[in-house]
Amino acid sequence: AAGPEFGRNADQLRVVQPPDLLPGDIDANLGAPWIPGSDIEAFAAELFRVDPKSITIGHLKKDAVWSVDAGFSAEKSVAATSEFCTARANANWLLELALNMKTPVIYDTIRGDHGEERVANQEETLAAREKQKLIKERFRAWVFADPERTERLVRIYNDTYNNLRPRLFDGSHLEFDGMNQTISLRPHQKNAIWRAMSSGNTLLAHAVGAGKTFTMAATGVKLKQAGLINKPMYVVPNHMLEQFAREFMQLYPNARLLVASKEDMSRERRKHLTAKIASGNWDGIIVTHSSFERIGMSNEYQQQFLQNQIQQYSDLLVEAASSDSTRRHRNLIKN
């Protein structure tokens, strides 16, 4: 929609729009997903002093996998076989590892009484990593050296990542029915609860002692009271089961809690526990990480999940077949 009646909205959006980041504020490293493969190809061609057509860069964005398909001239160029390589680490391989955020390890094969064994060669590995470090440094010096490329990449980065204004959540209006009246939640806890209620998922990246247990307990109760969920489940570290349950009851003395112990997850009692979870009107279900892992998913859900995964990769193959992807890049998808 457009028109003069929306002018006020547009003005307010301009006020809160984040300012563009400058090149010095952006980490542009090899393997950054926002840098186009064509720029990596241009860098590799300049680094190895070969024609850009002799190097093809593939990028499988879904799995964050990069591939380097180097032609004969790129494989055998002076720079690739001397300046940026070692006797046992080709420069194109080092570039591909850098794009995939990996470091090289050189192995020796040792034959002994019990067969062959691969052992890391520390000296060769260190030499290969030094060459890879040199490639990374060259890229950082190259990426923003050209004004046109700098302007284009900075625009891509800002449009892709610097386009959100974090929402501020104010939970001061919340009331907590059934909560222990001797306990008052702090403002940051109320804000976190309101954020969870508004957003659907929330990371409580609070420091130790900031009251995360109370925040989680109150969030679950408020979500249930608001009709947004039926029964909250809390999956806690194994050693915190009793502590979490105790603090929950301290905050909500009349809460109906189901605390699943290790014994409840035994083979004999597991079905009984899941039946209680499904049929009970619980204010909170508390289980440990290891117990939660034992609760299996239905066959129907697993089959649907696998079918969705297969369909996604089938779509990727179709997309790769219709583009200029290299055979090596298509093999990455198949594998």
Side-chain angles (χ1 to χ4, degrees):
E5 66 272 19
F6 295 100
R8 183 172 64 90
N9 294 356
D11 292 339
Q12 292 299 317
L13 287 173
R14 292 189 186 97
V15 171
V16 299
Q17 190 172 8
D20 279 350
L21 295 176
L22 300 176
D25 303 319
I26 300 172
D27 289 329
N29 298 313
L30 280 172
W34 56 274
I35 299 179
S38 57
D39 287 296
I40 305 299
E41 290 175 352
F43 164 72
E46 186 172 321
L47 183 72
F48 301 142
R49 296 186 284 278
V50 296
D51 190 295
K53 295 181 180 179
S54 65
I55 296 180
T56 302
I57 301 295
H59 184 203
L60 182 59
K61 293 184 178 180
K62 174 178 169 48
D63 288 341
V65 176
W66 294 80
S67 64
V68 177
D69 191 6
F72 180 81
S73 60
E75 285 277 0
K76 302 302 180 182
S77 69
V78 174
T81 56
S82 60
E83 188 175 354
F84 299 103
C85 75
T86 70
R88 298 177 61 180
N90 181 273
N92 292 285
W93 178 61
L94 294 177
L95 173 61
E96 184 173 270
L97 287 177
L99 287 168
N100 289 292
M101 307 296 179
K102 297 179 181 179
T103 54
V105 179
I106 308 300
Y107 290 96
D108 293 331
T109 300
I110 299 177
R111 293 178 175 82
D113 297 336
H114 302 288
E116 295 184 348
E117 181 183 4
R118 297 177 74 232
V119 179
N121 185 316
Q122 299 298 332
E123 183 177 350
E124 289 289 344
T125 295
L126 181 60
R129 290 180 179 180
E130 286 297 319
K131 292 295 185 179
Q132 188 190 60
K133 180 181 177 182
L134 180 60
I135 293 174
K136 292 179 179 179
E137 291 173 349
R138 287 294 182 91
F139 180 77
R140 283 193 289 269
W142 174 88
V143 66
F144 289 139
D146 178 73
E148 183 277 330
R149 182 172 59 245
T150 298
E151 182 179 357
R152 176 171 50 81
L153 291 179
V154 168
R155 184 75 269 140
I156 291 174
Y157 184 89
N158 279 292
D159 290 347
T160 305
Y161 296 107
N162 190 34
N163 57 0
L164 298 175
R165 182 77 175 194
R167 177 181 170 184
L168 300 178
F169 295 86
D170 182 3
S172 59
H173 65 285
L174 293 175
E175 297 181 358
F176 299 92
D177 298 334
M179 181 181 289
N180 188 335
Q181 295 184 359
T182 64
I183 298 176
S184 297
L185 296 181
R186 301 184 183 97
H188 76 272
Q189 292 173 301
K190 294 180 180 180
N191 295 343
I193 294 167
W194 181 238
R195 176 170 186 160
M197 294 181 68
S198 304
S199 304
N201 61 347
T202 299
L203 169 65
L204 299 177
H206 296 166
V208 175
K212 292 188 292 295
T213 301
F214 279 2
T215 301
M216 287 186 283
T219 297
V221 172
K222 286 295 295 182
L223 285 168
K224 183 181 179 184
Q225 291 174 347
L228 298 174
I229 61 174
N230 291 324
K231 59 194 79 171
M233 175 178 281
Y234 302 87
V235 184
V236 303
N238 293 352
H239 67 283
M240 288 194 61
L241 181 67
E242 294 181 0
Q243 176 185 337
F244 193 96
R246 184 171 60 252
E247 293 184 15
F248 196 117
M249 291 302 298
Q250 179 186 357
L251 187 64
Y252 286 96
N254 298 319
R256 298 186 73 251
L257 290 186
L258 175 60
V259 183
S261 64
K262 182 179 179 181
E263 291 73 23
D264 291 321
M265 295 306 299
S266 63
R267 185 184 300 272
E268 297 78 17
R269 301 175 61 177
R270 196 177 307 165
K271 288 186 177 180
H272 178 66
L273 173 65
T274 54
K276 287 177 64 177
I277 292 174
S279 60
N281 182 27
W282 306 106
D283 295 316
I285 302 160
I286 308 174
V287 300
T288 63
H289 288 169
S290 58
S291 296
F292 182 73
E293 292 172 355
R294 297 182 184 180
I295 302 176
M297 294 177 290
S298 67
N299 291 332
E300 293 79 7
Y301 180 86
Q302 295 183 52
Q303 291 174 3
Q304 185 61 49
F305 176 82
L306 292 175
Q307 287 297 326
N308 291 339
Q309 292 289 303
I310 292 172
Q311 185 60 50
Q312 289 179 22
Y313 282 103
S314 296
D315 294 342
L316 282 172
L317 281 171
V318 172
E319 180 182 347
S322 62
S323 66
D324 295 330
S325 299
T326 65
R327 179 182 300 175
R328 183 176 182 184
H329 190 46
R330 289 194 291 271
N331 287 338
L332 281 174
I333 302 174
K334 292 178 181 179
N335 294 333

